[in-house]
Amino acid sequence: MKKKDEATAAGQEKPVFNQIAYQNDFNRKKYDRINLVMPKGKKERLKAAAAAAGQSVNEFINAAIDRELNSGEGAAE
């Protein structure tokens, strides 16, 4: 305890880890964000379909996008 008291007295407090800032920084570096707008009522249908598939809404949307992007891979060549 004496070392902590000495460090505090010298104005050298240990920096506090900021979990939210760390997660925000990680997400900013690793992910792109898209703001999706849809007609009223469609969100509830989307949530129900995702739950029926055992996925989060984000997983469900990403899987649908991946299927669409991968289905046309050979067509453009």
Side-chain angles (χ1 to χ4, degrees), residues 29 43 46:
K29 289 177 183 175
K43 179 180 174 183
L46 178 60

Side-chain angles (χ1 to χ4, degrees), residues 1 3 5 8 10 19 21 25 27 36-37 48 50 55-56 61 69 72 74 76-77:
M1 285 279 198
K3 286 186 179 186
D5 293 336
T8 303
Q19 182 70 33
D25 187 49
N27 288 335
L36 179 64
V37 179
Q55 297 176 317
S56 69
I61 292 171
L69 292 176
E77 293 180 57

